[in-house]
Amino acid sequence: MEQLEINTGLQISKKANEVYEAIVDPNKMSNYFIAESTGNLVEGTSVTWKFPEFEGDVLIEVTKVIPNELISFVWEGAKGKKLKVKISLTEMPDSSTVVKVTEGKLPADAAGITWYGGNTEGWANFLACLKAYLEYDINLRKGAFEFRRGEM
């Protein structure tokens, strides 16, 4: 059976080190994506994320970190499924950074298609919120998903 994998990306008008810090530092990440975290994303550690619009904690197992280039972790991206997430950063000649997110893989069945749609939406939102925060100091996520409280 065919396997589904999320692949999305966005260019941000900031240097790779600024983008990297905004992803690994929970004090910065709480300005655009999560409500809180138990710590920085450091290779070989686990942290717990809380989202403002969802109940419960999300365990993040950090598997690889290359400063200013890569953050990779495993999480329960779909119910009962541990999935690998890879966030790669590529600094461009104009000092902007291309951020790419991949997650997966799951079978192309009904459950996989539901996961693919929901998590693709989530990662595209993550990227848009990261861009708005870094370029304009705006938290796009604040209040955006109140209608989803309790769905996770």
Side-chain angles (χ1 to χ4, degrees):
M1 178 179 278
E2 186 179 339
Q3 296 282 296
L4 298 171
E5 180 178 53
I6 293 169
N7 288 288
T8 188
L10 192 68
Q11 192 160 347
I12 298 174
S13 296
K14 293 290 179 181
K15 290 182 168 275
N17 67 313
E18 290 179 69
V19 177
Y20 171 80
E21 286 299 323
I23 297 169
V24 299
D25 181 344
N27 295 317
K28 292 179 180 174
M29 193 182 252
S30 66
N31 288 306
Y32 69 91
F33 189 57
I34 58 173
E36 61 185 77
S37 174
T38 57
N40 286 10
L41 298 179
V42 176
E43 187 171 321
T45 66
S46 294
V47 299
T48 302
W49 285 350
K50 290 184 188 237
F51 288 89
E53 65 275 3
F54 300 120
E55 299 293 324
D57 297 341
V58 179
L59 179 65
I60 306 299
E61 300 170 50
V62 186
T63 55
K64 187 165 182 111
V65 174
I66 302 172
N68 308 326
E69 293 180 24
L70 176 73
I71 301 108
S72 186
F73 60 86
V74 175
W75 73 343
E76 188 177 339
K79 189 167 180 72
K81 304 284 185 190
K82 284 196 170 190
L83 298 173
K84 181 178 182 179
V85 174
K86 184 172 101 174
I87 303 171
S88 63
L89 311 175
T90 305
E91 190 166 311
M92 305 304 287
D94 66 356
S95 295
S96 67
T97 302
V98 174
V99 183
K100 293 183 179 177
V101 179
T102 61
E103 181 184 4
K105 300 179 174 179
L106 284 179
D109 57 14
I113 291 168
T114 298
W115 158 79
Y116 184 82
N119 284 30
T120 297
E121 175 187 353
W123 287 117
N125 180 265
F126 164 81
L127 291 170
C129 290
L130 175 62
K131 182 175 180 71
Y133 169 67
L134 286 174
E135 292 182 13
Y136 304 102
D137 198 28
I138 296 170
N139 185 344
L140 290 179
R141 198 167 178 109
K142 187 175 182 180
F145 297 104
E146 295 298 318
F147 69 97
R148 288 194 170 168
R149 280 203 181 275
E151 284 185 13
M152 190 172 192

